[in-house]
Amino acid sequence: MSAQQIDINKKSEEAMNSILNEHKQLLKQFDFQQLSALVDPIQKAKAIFLIGMGRSGLMMKAAAMRLMHLGFTAYVVGETTTPAIGSGDLLIAGSGSGTTSTVIRAAKTAKDQNAQVACFTTDAASELAALSDYIVTIPAAQKQAHENTVSDQYAGSLFEQALLLFFDALMQTLWSIDGSSAEELYKRHSNLE
């Protein structure tokens, strides 16, 4: 192995340790009551709609898939087969800044249709948070923060990673309450691949 390859390997290991340490620090500041408050509205929702833009949107798509695997009726906002939201439904929005215009419009529409709104954001005082019935504040850097005081990663990477991890923790909690076997969940996996 060349000296250059050894150096690259070392840098990759250092990067991974840095990312993991950021999540450990974030975990110390996180309020799990905010996350557990979502269990009841998710369980009671007729349908669950998920929205986020950019990389946050990708995390929300993963969350929608997790909900579907658990047997919930879940839709990704913007997909061609997503129906109208209505009373008894739940919109779950992910926006680090809490100011993403498309996400704000969706939250306003959900409220106008008497649906509940939950959000994952870094800013509990944001417009999205003000529209939400449930707020999960992830103490990560926003994508506009370039001073590296919270994270050494680019843009909103820590928020997006944490969004996926905390939603997966929520899914594990819902699964443990549900008691379904892994085999039962697997029946809902796509078989058209």
Side-chain angles (χ1 to χ4, degrees):
M1 189 179 303
S2 70
Q4 182 182 14
Q5 185 59 49
I6 290 170
D7 186 51
I8 291 171
N9 291 348
K10 184 178 180 191
K11 288 181 187 293
S12 296
E13 183 179 354
E14 289 170 355
M16 179 58 83
N17 283 322
S18 175
I19 291 167
L20 291 174
N21 285 330
E22 287 182 3
H23 282 283
K24 288 177 185 176
Q25 292 306 311
L26 188 146
L27 193 60
K28 292 176 185 176
Q29 303 168 54
F30 187 72
D31 181 358
F32 278 93
Q33 288 182 335
Q34 292 181 344
L35 194 64
S36 62
L38 293 180
V39 169
D40 189 56
I42 286 173
Q43 289 177 321
K44 290 181 177 174
K46 291 192 300 187
I48 304 164
F49 295 77
L50 295 99
I51 188 170
M53 302 308 293
R55 295 180 300 175
S56 296
L58 295 173
M59 300 304 107
M60 298 310 287
K61 284 184 176 186
M65 181 183 282
R66 299 282 198 269
L67 287 165
M68 178 274 295
H69 287 155
L70 284 174
F72 293 99
T73 301
Y75 300 101
V76 175
V77 175
E79 296 293 325
T80 56
T81 57
T82 301
I85 195 167
S87 180
D89 293 335
L90 173 67
L91 174 71
I92 303 177
S95 170
S97 67
T99 61
T100 309
S101 59
T102 303
V103 176
I104 297 292
R105 281 193 304 275
K108 287 178 178 177
T109 299
K111 296 304 286 183
D112 288 345
Q113 298 301 314
N114 296 314
Q116 290 191 308
V117 177
C119 76
F120 287 78
T121 185
T122 64
D123 187 356
S126 67
E127 185 176 2
L128 178 60
L131 289 164
S132 298
D133 302 287
Y134 305 93
I135 304 164
V136 179
T137 307
I138 296 177
Q142 296 182 14
K143 66 182 175 189
Q144 300 91 338
H146 301 291
E147 62 276 355
N148 297 346
T149 56
V150 178
S151 176
D152 287 331
Q153 298 181 70
Y154 174 71
S157 295
L158 181 60
F159 170 76
E160 293 136 9
Q161 294 157 358
L163 177 56
L164 179 66
L165 291 172
F166 284 122
F167 213 99
D168 272 356
L170 179 59
M171 293 304 96
Q172 285 292 113
T173 302
L174 288 162
W175 186 22
S176 69
I177 293 168
D178 174 70
S180 296
S181 68
E183 290 77 15
E184 289 176 79
L185 270 59
Y186 191 74
K187 291 175 185 175
R188 298 187 189 104
H189 273 261
S190 174
N191 58 4
L192 297 174
E193 298 167 338

